[in-house]
Amino acid sequence: MKISLNLSGPPSVAVDGARVEFATKKAEAIFYYTALKGQVSKQSLELMFWPELDEAHANKNLRNSIYYITRIFGAGVFKKSRGVLEFSGSVEFVENIDPLRGRFMEGFYLKDCPDFNSFVDEYNNSRDMQLYNSAKANFLRALSVGELDDMETLNRYGALSRMDPYDEEVVFALMEHCFGEGRLDEVVKLYRDFERKMLRDLMLEPLKDIQNLYRAALLRKKAERGAAAPFFFGRLTELKRLSRSHRDFLSGSQYTDLIISGGIGSGKTYLLSHYMRNSGIKGTKVLELVCYEAERKIEYRVLSLLIGKMLKALKVDTKDLPESYRQILVYFFPFMFGKGAHDGQSDVKDGKLPFFELEELLSELFARLTARAKFVIVIDDIRYCDRMSFDFIQRVALCKYHGRALFFISCHDSWLKEYLKTFDKNTLRNIDILELKNFRRDEVEAIASRRLKDPAPETVDALYKESGGNPLYLFEIINSLKDNKPVNNYKFIYLLENRLKTLSSYEQMALYISSAFFSDIMPEAVADIIGVDSIRILELYESLVQNGFLKEEIRDGHLTLMFAHEQFRLYIYQSQPLIKRKTIHMKIAEYLASCAREAECERDYIDSIIYHYHSAGQMVKYLSCKLRKALNIVSVDHDFPEFLSGVTQDFIAKLEEEFCLVSVPLDLKYEFTLLKASFAVKTCNYDEGLKLIRFILESDTDKRRLLKARKQLIYYGIQTRDHAMIRENAIAALRILKERPDDVEKADILKSYALAELNCRHCKNAGRILLRSLAMLDGMPLSETVLYIRACIFNYLAYEHKYAGEYERCIPFYMKSIEICTSANITNGLPLFYMNLGQALMKIGRQEEAKKYFLKFEVLRERIYSALSTTIVKAYLALIYCIERNYRLSAKYLAEGFECSRVIKNSYEYAYLYKICALLKKTALKDCEAAGILNAVLPESYGYYYERASENFKKIGLERELAELDRM
């Protein structure tokens, strides 16, 4: 029997060309899985497809699924073998692979079958590249010989793009094909889509060949189009949006007011002015208002101008207004009137009037005027509007009189978010945001083609690169080129240098230093370098913002300073001599380092310090800072390996490459060796770690590093329960501390020595040492290290009671350790404390509480790496789920526990793992359902696990733990 498997895209099966339909999706999945695997055990299929069911129900469902398959293909489709599912020799599979139809088994997903879904994902990952290369070669060949029609070409291109969206060879081939057939619009669209993807995802431009082909398409389109009508460069979409709102307002249809948002030079003012001059829409009265920063503190300034313009547009004399309106205008807007405005008596005394009465009268006046004509009100830069006018426009004009006036309001993008917060939800429904972004590359090219005579491709490239698409900078450069000014005057010379000349020497210094920051500017650092106080530096920055060099943005409630345009920063930065730039970076790095020392929190500054030292060319200091960062990640001074991951390994590997390229002092090499040693020990690469530590002990003379090397050996002893190793190195460390006293370090070493004493059952002596260690920390500043050591001491104080079997008395100590860590957000040691508390609770029969803390350990372990305690927690969870008769979860955790046990050599964890294995094996002997699942993880006899548990409990002196097994 020949069966066709179509597994690219949505999967299907055909026999003799006829598609087969399966009775259930799981039966179909079992068919695919068995066909691809060749031979699978029926038990593994039950676990894969029905993990939530007990063995009897899972077995029944599997038999039904096999029956559904045999009903389609015949009883002889499978070999008759007990416990295994395998297709018979008469079945021949033909696998049809066409990656252009989609990924392997695309869209085929089984709910509650994570193992099967993982199999599909892994299969995909292993074959993707091979299939893609094959499909790509077929596509390029078919394209070159003209085998494909337009629809098939696009479909295949789309499929390849989904597999690899950044393959320039495929894009170029299709663009070339379309260009040859004269489909220029498709060439342009292909390029723009691809360029947007490359810039957004990879921050790269397409290949030059692709760019040149795109330009050629644009030039041919231009030649075919002939002379085009004049147009407003680059903002056609925005102009249409303004026009639509205007026409809807005029016709009485539903319309929206518009807020035009953009940064400096984005063309907000020019767009509005151009539209108002050229809209050609009659029937409305257009009023244009400009808000000036200098008038921001003049109350009602903008509102008085607005009402004055409305009166003028309607040709209404103030004398013709009712007396109540006239009095308000006279006293609150006196500059609207000439001499003699105060003729007659007024009921308004000294301009005093309750605000609500004033607002009500102004609202009535606004309603009276807007009832006589339709007004389009344009307000340029609302951020400089005075407070009282702003409040009236926002709460009254836009809200109450929507439908009587259309508002076009421009707003700087850095202020937009704060501005929108002032509106209620109902008003916001009638407002749209028109965001002016910088021009795209193709728009720059179109503008250059109209403003310059046949610009060369490299000229267009330079225009886009230097202006960043910003309209102000772009037209400044284009105007320079039109005036035949030299190219070296091209990079904002006219825009920047003229403005620079107006700055004071201190303002220039602040600007030059600020250009060295790769992210937000730090005014306090700049103030320190140029020697001015905090008030003076803010005055300098206010001037730089007003002159358009810098901009202010509010992020997370904090005001930040940055350059208005990255090209500004680059030009100012690169115009300085290299030696000056390096000096600035050096001073910034030194300032940040001093801040870190004062705050005693280097990690908040370390990345910036590293950047500035590197930019200053201070490679030794740069590597020293990177090394300190790595030492913090590895937690060289902590017992437990909490923060280690593959990322840490990559960081250390790259750091080693940099060390090889630079001549560094011997001290720094020893520091790096210590880092690698600590990382090796904490990731259980004990041979490598011990070798590196021995090298330090034999070669180095620095007492601080020798102390840290001894501590790594103590941590090795803790992980492997080597009491002699802990004792020997704790004593050696204490000898070093006699020469360089440090009470915190001494307390840390003493608590480790006490642990060795506890493990040897010298509990009284251990208790005295721990209390002495705790007393040494009294009065110390509560740093993270001090709190961590205190938490460890309370944890170890519980061990005397643990080894005596007094688990109830352990619990307060463990709770205290956990409380110290969680209240100070300390992760080091926390998994061990959760494990110890869970174990104590299990011992006194509080199983549900124990489970809670074991699962907390599991959640924490998803965020951090910790080899220590993982085996024992997995084993206890296996025991708990077995007691709950959830044998599948029990088997899962037990298998994971065995996997973890291979990483760490710890007889304590081995002892409890094998004890729990023995307990589960006994359960399996009494319960057939448990046996069917647990025996797959526990293939050995009960006696084997008992013996392993017994030998490990004897090693750690806890033979009494075997009594629980003997009682069963």
Side-chain angles (χ1 to χ4, degrees):
M1 182 192 312
K2 187 174 286 188
I3 300 176
S4 296
L5 289 178
N6 302 303
L7 299 179
S8 296
S12 63
V13 178
V15 177
D16 298 328
R19 180 166 176 167
V20 168
E21 297 293 337
F22 290 86
T24 68
K25 201 168 183 181
K26 284 191 178 179
E28 185 177 2
I30 290 169
F31 181 87
Y32 295 140
Y33 186 74
T34 308
L36 292 168
K37 284 289 190 178
Q39 183 187 76
V40 287
S41 74
K42 292 181 180 178
Q43 187 179 32
S44 69
L45 290 173
E46 291 169 12
L47 287 168
M48 176 176 283
F49 292 100
W50 295 279
E52 75 286 358
L53 298 182
D54 57 47
E55 187 179 20
H57 287 92
N59 185 262
K60 178 183 176 184
N61 287 348
L62 178 62
R63 288 199 307 272
N64 288 339
S65 296
I66 293 172
Y67 168 72
Y68 295 145
I69 296 170
T70 56
R71 195 170 62 183
I72 296 169
F73 299 101
V77 70
F78 293 118
K79 288 182 179 178
K80 293 181 180 179
S81 56
R82 188 176 182 82
V84 172
L85 194 64
E86 183 180 1
F87 284 100
S88 67
S90 63
V91 175
E92 179 185 349
F93 286 107
V94 178
E95 188 176 347
N96 300 320
I97 300 172
D98 181 6
L100 294 178
R101 293 182 62 237
R103 299 192 77 201
F104 173 75
M105 295 185 71
E106 187 172 8
F108 194 90
Y109 177 84
L110 292 182
K111 186 180 178 183
D112 300 327
C113 297
D115 290 345
F116 176 77
N117 297 327
S118 297
F119 160 74
V120 173
D121 289 340
E122 289 169 10
Y123 199 89
N124 254 320
N125 293 335
S126 65
R127 300 183 60 178
D128 270 357
M129 186 52 67
Q130 178 185 350
L131 294 175
Y132 177 75
N133 289 334
S134 170
K136 173 183 168 181
N138 289 336
F139 174 71
L140 294 178
R141 182 196 58 77
L143 197 65
S144 65
V145 298
E147 286 182 1
L148 307 173
D149 60 31
D150 292 350
M151 184 58 70
E152 192 175 1
T153 299
L154 291 176
N155 287 341
R156 290 204 178 195
Y157 171 71
L160 288 171
S161 294
R162 287 191 294 274
M163 297 168 77
D164 183 357
Y166 314 112
D167 193 326
E168 291 171 307
E169 187 181 355
V170 171
V171 175
F172 181 72
L174 184 55
M175 285 176 65
E176 204 171 33
H177 174 75
C178 293
F179 187 87
E181 295 189 348
R183 290 147 53 192
L184 302 179
D185 288 337
E186 289 181 41
V187 175
V188 172
K189 185 178 185 305
L190 282 166
Y191 176 82
R192 288 177 181 172
D193 290 345
F194 185 64
E195 182 195 45
R196 197 175 299 117
K197 248 186 299 190
M198 292 285 283
L199 291 173
R200 181 192 65 211
D201 299 343
L202 306 179
M203 290 182 289
L204 293 173
E205 295 179 347
L207 286 171
K208 285 292 180 187
D209 287 346
I210 296 177
Q211 294 180 36
N212 291 337
L213 186 57
Y214 166 67
R215 292 190 193 97
L218 288 178
L219 289 172
R220 186 186 287 185
K221 276 171 64 72
K222 179 183 175 182
E224 291 174 357
R225 186 171 59 240
F231 75 107
F232 183 67
F233 295 108
R235 299 292 187 210
L236 291 178
T237 302
E238 290 82 356
L239 287 169
K240 288 177 182 177
R241 184 67 189 83
L242 289 166
S243 178
R244 186 167 79 242
S245 277
H246 196 164
R247 292 180 185 281
D248 288 345
F249 168 66
L250 184 61
S251 66
S253 304
Q254 185 67 32
Y255 73 94
T256 55
D257 297 302
L258 293 176
I259 296 176
I260 295 89
S261 165
I264 291 176
S266 59
K268 302 183 292 295
T269 301
Y270 192 70
L271 174 70
L272 288 170
S273 299
H274 175 86
Y275 176 74
M276 293 307 153
R277 287 195 307 269
N278 301 285
S279 67
I281 299 176
K282 297 180 180 179
T284 58
K285 296 189 180 297
V286 177
L287 307 179
E288 296 184 59
L289 300 165
V290 179
C291 303
Y292 295 102
E293 187 175 11
E295 298 177 336
R296 190 174 189 175
K297 295 183 180 179
I298 303 174
E299 290 192 349
Y300 297 108
R301 173 60 175 163
V302 173
L303 187 54
S304 68
L305 291 173
L306 173 59
I307 292 177
K309 283 176 177 278
M310 292 174 80
L311 290 169
K312 186 177 179 180
L314 294 170
K315 298 180 181 179
V316 174
D317 195 301
T318 53
K319 293 178 182 178
D320 299 331
L321 292 172
E323 183 62 23
S324 58
Y325 299 151
R326 180 174 170 73
Q327 288 177 8
I328 293 300
L329 296 177
V330 167
Y331 279 90
F332 286 90
F333 311 139
F335 34 78
M336 287 176 60
F337 300 85
K339 291 183 178 179
H342 291 271
D343 54 333
Q345 297 297 313
S346 170
D347 295 331
V348 183
K349 304 298 183 185
D350 302 321
K352 302 297 183 185
L353 189 70
F355 177 72
F356 70 89
E357 289 186 28
L358 172 63
E359 184 176 288
E360 188 176 339
L361 284 169
L362 287 172
S363 179
E364 288 176 10
L365 177 58
F366 192 81
R368 184 188 183 99
L369 297 176
T370 53
R372 296 182 60 177
K374 285 184 174 286
F375 287 95
V376 177
I377 300 169
V378 179
I379 303 177
D380 191 15
D381 214 341
I382 192 71
R383 63 177 171 161
Y384 293 135
C385 181
D386 65 90
R387 184 176 60 85
M388 303 304 290
S389 300
F390 177 89
D391 192 59
F392 181 85
I393 292 167
Q394 177 255 322
R395 290 196 309 106
V396 179
L398 279 164
C399 180
K400 291 176 67 174
Y401 298 108
H402 180 77
R404 298 193 183 190
L406 168 64
F407 281 86
F408 292 153
I409 298 172
S410 76
C411 176
H412 193 278
D413 57 2
S414 64
W415 201 69
L416 178 65
K417 191 174 181 182
E418 294 301 310
Y419 181 43
L420 292 177
K421 288 179 183 177
T422 64
F423 291 97
D424 61 38
K425 291 182 179 178
N426 289 330
T427 308
L428 280 175
R429 290 195 190 102
N430 298 318
I431 294 174
D432 277 346
I433 311 300
L434 197 58
E435 187 178 358
L436 301 188
K437 296 182 179 293
N438 288 347
F439 293 142
R440 301 188 307 272
R441 176 183 289 273
D442 57 297
E443 292 173 323
V444 170
E445 186 161 12
I447 292 167
S449 298
R450 283 175 165 78
R451 297 294 296 269
L452 300 172
K453 186 177 179 181
D454 297 325
E458 56 270 19
T459 301
V460 177
D461 285 342
L463 281 171
Y464 182 72
K465 181 179 178 183
E466 300 303 333
S467 70
N470 182 283
L472 174 63
Y473 311 147
L474 176 64
F475 287 111
E476 183 75 18
I477 296 170
I478 288 176
N479 291 336
S480 296
L481 291 175
K482 286 179 71 177
D483 294 338
N484 294 318
K485 292 180 179 174
V487 175
N488 60 359
N489 283 343
Y490 178 91
K491 294 183 178 179
F492 307 118
I493 290 294
Y494 289 96
L495 187 62
L496 275 175
E497 291 198 345
N498 289 334
R499 291 189 185 183
L500 281 170
K501 290 173 186 176
T502 66
L503 300 179
S504 70
S505 58
Y506 273 107
E507 288 168 346
Q508 289 186 18
M509 287 169 62
L511 194 62
Y512 283 126
I513 295 169
S514 299
S515 69
F517 288 92
F518 68 92
S519 57
D520 298 345
I521 297 165
M522 291 182 66
E524 59 273 22
V526 178
D528 183 78
I529 294 169
I530 64 179
V532 298
D533 60 29
S534 57
I535 302 297
R536 177 66 177 135
I537 196 64
L538 292 179
E539 291 172 352
L540 296 176
Y541 276 119
E542 185 178 0
S543 173
L544 294 174
V545 171
Q546 289 172 354
N547 276 282
F549 289 106
L550 305 179
K551 63 180 178 180
E552 298 172 333
E553 286 193 3
I554 296 174
R555 292 182 184 173
D556 302 323
H558 298 289
L559 186 68
T560 60
L561 283 166
M562 60 189 63
F563 275 81
H565 192 278
E566 176 62 11
Q567 291 296 331
F568 271 5
R569 190 194 72 79
L570 280 175
Y571 175 75
I572 292 168
Y573 179 74
Q574 292 170 357
S575 65
Q576 302 171 77
L578 180 61
I579 187 66
K580 182 179 177 182
R581 298 203 301 261
K582 288 192 172 186
T583 302
I584 290 172
H585 281 296
M586 183 65 182
K587 288 182 176 180
I588 294 172
E590 296 294 351
Y591 173 82
L592 293 173
S594 68
C595 289
R597 285 192 296 272
E598 288 173 17
E600 296 183 351
C601 190
E602 188 181 52
R603 66 180 154 201
D604 291 343
Y605 298 89
I606 191 68
D607 288 325
S608 294
I609 295 171
I610 289 169
Y611 165 76
H612 287 292
Y613 272 138
H614 188 265
S615 300
Q618 297 289 322
M619 296 307 293
V620 172
K621 290 186 176 182
Y622 158 74
L623 288 173
S624 178
C625 289
K626 282 196 78 171
L627 183 56
R628 287 203 301 278
K629 179 179 179 179
L631 288 166
N632 286 331
I633 296 171
V634 175
S635 301
V636 171
D637 288 317
H638 293 147
D639 303 21
F640 308 113
E642 308 297 22
F643 298 105
L644 308 183
S645 66
V647 175
T648 316
Q649 178 67 73
D650 291 342
F651 187 88
I652 293 172
K654 288 174 184 173
L655 192 55
E656 184 151 30
E657 289 176 11
E658 291 182 298
F659 263 79
C660 295
L661 298 173
V662 179
S663 177
V664 296
L666 195 58
D667 277 359
L668 211 54
K669 289 183 178 178
Y670 285 138
E671 290 282 352
F672 188 49
T673 303
L674 181 66
L675 167 72
K676 293 190 290 183
S678 180
F679 182 77
V681 167
K682 290 182 176 181
T683 51
C684 305
N685 187 0
Y686 297 128
D687 292 340
E688 177 67 13
L690 294 175
K691 182 181 78 172
L692 293 170
I693 293 169
R694 280 195 294 271
F695 172 76
I696 294 172
L697 294 176
E698 292 168 3
S699 309
D700 200 359
T701 57
D702 180 80
K703 298 299 182 184
R704 183 185 62 81
R705 279 193 297 274
L706 291 174
L707 175 65
K708 289 183 184 293
R710 292 292 179 184
K711 288 176 76 172
Q712 305 316 304
L713 291 174
I714 291 171
Y715 305 156
Y716 165 74
I718 291 172
Q719 287 188 45
T720 58
R721 291 186 72 87
D722 188 333
H723 317 314
M725 176 70 77
I726 298 172
R727 271 206 190 108
E728 176 190 335
N729 287 284
I731 292 168
L734 290 170
R735 289 197 191 104
I736 294 171
L737 286 171
K738 282 185 179 180
E739 300 178 38
R740 53 186 310 275
D742 184 326
D743 283 348
V744 175
E745 287 282 18
K746 189 173 181 180
D748 189 26
I749 299 298
L750 284 174
K751 63 107 167 110
S752 298
Y753 185 89
L755 176 63
E757 290 289 275
L758 284 165
N759 289 338
C760 295
R761 304 301 183 271
H762 302 156
C763 295
K764 296 299 179 188
N765 187 40
R768 285 194 296 271
I769 294 171
L770 287 171
L771 292 175
R772 179 184 168 196
S773 179
L774 198 60
M776 292 175 72
L777 298 177
D778 289 343
M780 293 279 186
L782 294 180
S783 66
E784 185 175 314
T785 301
V786 169
L787 290 169
Y788 160 74
I789 296 170
R790 286 173 62 85
C792 287
I793 291 170
F794 283 109
N795 177 63
Y796 292 158
L797 282 169
Y799 283 16
E800 178 182 353
H801 305 299
K802 177 172 75 170
Y803 291 139
E806 300 167 344
Y807 290 101
E808 190 80 49
R809 298 179 65 184
C810 297
I811 291 172
F813 291 103
Y814 295 144
M815 294 295 289
K816 181 68 175 176
S817 299
I818 291 168
E819 180 192 342
I820 291 171
C821 288
T822 52
S823 62
N825 199 25
I826 296 171
T827 316
N828 280 301
L830 196 55
L832 176 67
F833 308 151
Y834 282 149
M835 183 275 287
N836 280 332
L837 180 57
Q839 186 182 36
L841 291 167
M842 278 292 289
K843 290 293 185 181
I844 60 174
R846 290 156 64 177
Q847 181 179 309
E848 277 305 309
E849 291 176 75
K851 180 180 177 182
K852 180 180 80 172
Y853 284 102
F854 288 139
L855 290 175
K856 278 189 175 186
F857 178 103
E858 281 288 284
V859 171
L860 195 58
R861 192 177 180 276
E862 290 177 5
R863 294 193 287 112
I864 61 178
Y865 173 88
S866 177
L868 200 64
S869 312
T870 304
T871 298
I872 200 167
V873 168
K874 297 284 188 185
Y876 268 115
L877 283 170
L879 178 60
I880 289 168
Y881 282 115
C882 180
I883 293 169
E884 294 176 354
R885 298 184 62 80
N886 190 338
Y887 299 125
R888 291 182 181 277
L889 263 183
S890 178
K892 170 183 174 293
Y893 277 110
L894 194 61
E896 290 173 359
F898 275 120
E899 189 66 30
C900 294
S901 71
R902 299 189 185 101
V903 177
I904 191 166
K905 300 174 183 176
N906 188 300
S907 50
Y908 183 87
E909 299 202 16
Y910 290 161
Y912 282 98
L913 171 65
Y914 285 118
K915 176 186 174 180
I916 288 170
C917 287
L919 289 170
L920 296 180
K921 195 68 178 178
K922 275 205 171 184
T923 301
L925 291 172
K926 299 174 184 177
D927 187 324
C928 293
E929 182 186 353
I933 296 170
L934 295 177
N935 284 343
V937 187
L938 298 170
E940 307 296 339
S941 66
Y942 167 79
Y944 171 84
Y945 298 113
Y946 182 92
E947 287 302 318
R948 300 286 77 74
S950 176
E951 67 186 41
N952 281 288
F953 277 126
K954 286 174 182 175
K955 279 184 188 178
I956 61 176
L958 282 176
E959 292 91 338
R960 61 179 171 75
E961 287 286 338
L962 296 170
E964 186 178 353
L965 291 172
D966 295 334
R967 287 196 300 270
M968 290 183 68

